[in-house]
Amino acid sequence: GGRGHGEPVRLMVDLEENNDFVELFVHEPGRRLLVGSTAGHGFIVPEDEVVASTRKGRQVLNVDAPDEAKVCVPVPPGADQVATIGDNRKMLVFALEEINEMGRGKGVILQRIKDGALADARPFVRKEGLAWLDGAGRTFTMSWSELRDWVGQRAQAGRVAPKGFPRSNRFGPAF
């Protein structure tokens, strides 16, 4: 009934003290994931390739200190666009096809961020628009025509986030 036995997750998966979780979710075969680092680099990886057979796990995203893994979100079926936002509140929307699909590595530059780091990324379907949750749990959706000012090419700096975007610089839960 909703209560565990108090065993730390770190012991179940042999996670070292200097590492931490970015995201946890149930594996779905055939799904793709968008992974990214605080440096603004990232790529798409098939979820089947991130499954490890050991308790130690598998390293997929290569990062150089002091950067860290920041984003790991599922790519919804039919997704054709990606929205990224940095700590500097600049948002960029670009085509999903501009991101490489790899098994592991550093990836390509998703967004160029001078002050701060990549805060969040969200793949979405162009026809459905970009949705996010505010602090009160309300869902806001911007249509493609409203997103015109933020559309650009991958690796650009972006523009200041739209009015009403959460101060946390996060799109909210991915599921």
Side-chain angles (χ1 to χ4, degrees), residues 51-75:
V51 177
S53 57
T54 64
R55 285 177 52 158
K56 190 73 173 166
R58 175 179 293 170
Q59 182 175 344
V60 176
L61 181 65
N62 297 337
V63 293
D64 300 323
D67 299 324
E68 299 176 344
K70 181 69 174 183
V71 176
C72 181
V73 293
V75 177

Side-chain angles (χ1 to χ4, degrees), residues 15-36:
L15 189 66
E16 298 173 10
E17 286 296 321
N18 59 344
N19 297 329
D20 209 355
F21 293 99
V22 173
E23 192 71 50
L24 293 170
F25 44 82
V26 178
H27 170 64
E28 287 183 24
R31 185 166 61 174
R32 300 182 315 156
L33 302 172
L34 172 63
V35 294

